[in-house]
Amino acid sequence: MSKVKTSFFCQNCGAQYSKWQGQCNSCKEWNTIVEEIIQKEEKTSWKPASSDSKRVSKPLRVNEIDSAQEIRMNTTDSELNRVLGGGIVPGSLILLGGEPGIGKSTLLLQISLKLPYKTLYVSGEESQKQIKMRAERITPNSDNCYILTETKTQNIFKQIEAIQPEIVIIDSIQTLHTDYIESTPGSISQIRETTAELIKFAKESNVPVILIGHITKDGNIAGPKILEHMVDTVLQFEGDRNHVYRILRSLKNRFGSTAEIGIYEMLGNGLREVSNPSEILISHKDEELSGTAIATTLEGMRPLMIEIQSLVSTAVYGTPQRSTTGYNAKRLNMILAVLEKRAGFRLGAKDVFLNVTGGISVDDPAIDLAVVAAILSSNEDIPVNKDFCFAGEVGLSGEIRPVNRVDQRIQEAEKLGFSTIFVSKYNKIALKNTAIKIRLVAKIEDVASELFG
């Protein structure tokens, strides 16, 4: 046993110091530095059964490296496959974060019950009976899923050697601890050490490991930032608990794009994959109402149709209110200033409320034109035709700027039955003979005259 050593770690960012101090030099937070015991034994935590892993790597020329594509493991979940880039890569480490109660454990338990691979689901937060109750609600029977309630990594590796699983799921990394570090589970050093042990196991055995991570009040994954650098993929499971829809985003992916999203609907028997999100993001109503407009946006390679709702009313109090849900408030203020200065609409003394339906947040500038249409519709109290949709960015001079991948947006609008789409006249459109009518506009005034005469 080596000599007991202590070090000081910032619980906010993971910075290490040789002595205590009041403020962290890295993140500038106060009173976040605590002392942790670092006591390592001179032995490894994971010993592979075969001796093949002891081979020494040799440098190869780039043209000598085998370029065959890595075979991926199908998760049987099309949304998760899309976000991961086609499936799970053997030997990879995936970190899934999200707010408490958002459905992280439900998602991974649901996937592990349906996987055609032998799966070990390790839980440090729930008993086997609790997991069994949830499993019966999701899927009645599964022969490939093994449930283990354990927090000590040495015991987990013993069970892994006995069962020989093809996929390991850890719920959650903050509950694990190892004998080689004397500090509480969830501390900076424990998270770093247990993750390092799991990475060594995954790379040497070629078994993928999926970790669930807690998040802080700021929305970041709890623990040192190095945790996100150590793993191969970081997924964020987000959504409003008051809404039934959940979005799975990729924040980091060494094996695929970080622009893709997966959409789920929370039901009583688990999470349902949403294959056509445009239908759930557009409200169905019989009569036309003012203040609503449909925008075409892109999330990764997937086009979506979303509904923008606006309410413009006379300010009751001295200062007009500007409130947004799911849209950037500063961008709304910019658009209102453009409408006032360039188009002559007097909105400075009016309250403006803006909402993106479905509980999602959108930062695509292509929805600017729909925001303008919704605001003007509410201001004039004239409804926008429900068969119209919009795709355009608004510039400071009031011009309608072109947006990327406009052909995909037009095809999605046509597929969902819209009759007309408004786009910038500066867009280069390759589509020919479309059923949907494409209206080319250059300025905000052109849109206003087309919609409201």
Side-chain angles (χ1 to χ4, degrees):
M1 178 97 49
S2 59
K3 185 181 177 182
V4 175
K5 293 182 180 179
T6 63
S7 190
F8 295 84
F9 293 92
C10 172
Q11 299 297 299
N12 185 54
C13 68
Q16 184 176 357
Y17 299 94
S18 58
K19 61 181 181 179
W20 185 88
Q21 57 190 55
Q23 186 185 32
C24 174
N25 296 334
S26 179
C27 64
K28 306 302 180 184
E29 290 288 329
W30 288 90
N31 299 324
T32 57
I33 298 174
V34 297
E35 184 179 16
E36 292 183 7
I37 299 173
I38 307 176
Q39 181 176 309
K40 282 196 175 185
E41 295 183 25
E42 298 299 325
K43 55 183 178 181
T44 58
S45 54
W46 161 251
K47 293 181 179 179
S50 65
S51 59
D52 295 339
S53 61
K54 295 181 180 178
R55 65 183 184 274
V56 179
S57 298
K58 295 180 180 179
L60 295 172
R61 293 189 184 94
V62 173
N63 55 10
E64 293 176 345
I65 300 172
D66 183 16
S67 61
Q69 193 170 6
E70 184 75 58
I71 298 173
R72 293 177 182 256
M73 305 171 75
N74 183 14
T75 65
T76 70
D77 186 307
S78 59
E79 299 295 302
L80 182 59
N81 283 343
R82 177 190 290 110
V83 175
L84 291 175
I88 299 174
V89 175
S92 64
L93 213 74
I94 301 167
L95 178 62
L96 173 65
E99 291 184 0
I102 206 70
K104 303 183 296 295
S105 301
T106 302
L107 174 66
L108 291 187
L109 180 61
Q110 176 176 307
I111 291 167
S112 63
L113 292 171
K114 295 178 181 178
L115 279 172
Y117 310 99
K118 187 187 289 187
T119 307
L120 178 63
Y121 186 97
V122 182
S123 177
E125 299 179 339
E126 296 176 287
S127 67
Q128 289 175 321
K129 289 185 178 179
Q130 286 176 301
I131 298 171
K132 170 68 174 175
M133 289 168 60
R134 193 145 43 91
E136 285 181 338
R137 194 177 74 239
I138 297 169
T139 304
N141 296 306
S142 175
D143 296 328
N144 293 323
C145 184
Y146 294 79
I147 305 296
L148 173 66
T149 54
E150 182 60 63
T151 58
K152 188 175 175 181
T153 56
Q154 284 71 32
N155 295 341
I156 293 171
F157 288 133
K158 286 179 183 177
Q159 297 301 324
I160 287 174
E161 287 186 18
I163 297 173
Q164 295 292 316
E166 295 173 89
I167 295 179
V168 176
I169 297 174
I170 306 291
D171 182 12
S172 64
I173 187 62
Q174 277 81 11
T175 62
L176 296 192
H177 68 93
T178 176
D179 282 344
Y180 310 134
I181 296 288
E182 283 196 3
S183 57
T184 57
S187 61
I188 299 294
S189 52
Q190 282 285 9
I191 292 174
R192 184 164 47 201
E193 183 65 22
T194 53
T195 304
E197 291 180 10
L198 290 166
I199 288 175
K200 186 176 182 182
F201 157 72
K203 301 304 179 187
E204 293 183 352
S205 64
N206 212 33
V207 174
V209 179
I210 304 176
L211 309 175
I212 292 180
H214 298 163
I215 65 168
T216 63
K217 62 180 180 180
D218 300 325
N220 301 316
I221 293 175
K225 196 67 178 176
I226 195 174
L227 174 64
E228 297 179 46
H229 292 287
M230 292 166 74
V231 301
D232 298 307
T233 304
V234 180
L235 304 180
Q236 183 84 4
F237 204 42
E238 58 190 46
D240 190 342
R241 275 204 257 175
N242 298 320
H243 290 81
V244 295
Y245 300 111
R246 305 284 187 267
I247 296 177
L248 183 66
R249 296 183 188 273
S250 175
L251 305 182
K252 170 191 174 181
N253 193 352
R254 288 176 179 158
F255 311 111
S257 171
T258 56
E260 294 294 346
I261 67 164
I263 300 180
Y264 295 88
E265 182 182 7
M266 179 66 83
L267 302 173
N269 59 348
L271 291 156
R272 182 184 70 86
E273 303 165 42
V274 178
S275 56
N276 188 5
S278 298
E279 293 183 359
I280 65 170
L281 297 174
I282 299 175
S283 59
H284 302 283
K285 50 187 181 292
D286 296 329
E287 58 183 28
E288 293 184 351
L289 301 172
S290 64
T292 63
I294 307 299
T296 64
T297 183
L298 288 173
E299 286 287 354
M301 299 299 292
R302 168 187 277 187
L304 301 176
M305 307 297 290
I306 58 172
E307 182 176 320
I308 309 294
Q309 294 181 336
S310 176
L311 178 64
V312 179
S313 62
T314 305
V316 179
Y317 306 103
T319 306
Q321 299 181 69
R322 305 281 188 260
S323 178
T324 64
T325 303
Y327 188 71
N328 191 315
K330 291 183 179 179
R331 194 158 188 86
L332 173 63
N333 289 330
M334 183 204 79
I335 289 175
L336 292 175
V338 171
L339 287 172
E340 182 103 16
K341 176 77 175 179
R342 303 295 184 188
F345 292 96
R346 302 299 174 207
L347 301 171
K350 294 186 177 181
D351 293 336
V352 179
F353 303 93
L354 196 76
N355 176 46
V356 179
T357 60
I360 67 169
S361 297
V362 183
D363 55 3
D364 185 2
I367 71 171
D368 288 353
L369 194 55
V371 170
V372 167
I375 291 171
L376 296 183
S377 171
S378 180
N379 186 54
E380 302 292 329
D381 201 19
I382 300 174
V384 176
N385 191 319
K386 63 181 180 181
D387 293 329
F388 289 180
C389 60
F390 305 85
E393 180 184 352
V394 175
L396 288 177
S397 59
E399 82 278 14
I400 308 302
R401 298 174 57 83
V403 296
N404 64 336
R405 292 173 27 212
V406 68
D407 291 346
Q408 280 183 271
R409 301 173 193 264
I410 294 172
Q411 287 173 337
E412 178 72 7
E414 184 178 3
K415 186 175 74 175
L416 291 176
F418 288 90
S419 64
T420 305
I421 183 170
F422 289 78
V423 298
S424 171
K425 68 178 292 185
Y426 306 110
N427 259 119
K428 295 179 180 178
I429 301 170
L431 295 174
K432 304 292 182 184
N433 302 321
T434 56
I436 188 172
K437 188 175 182 180
I438 302 172
R439 303 295 285 269
L440 303 176
V441 289
K443 295 183 179 180
I444 289 178
E445 297 95 306
D446 300 341
V447 181
S449 61
E450 287 270 359
L451 295 176
F452 313 112

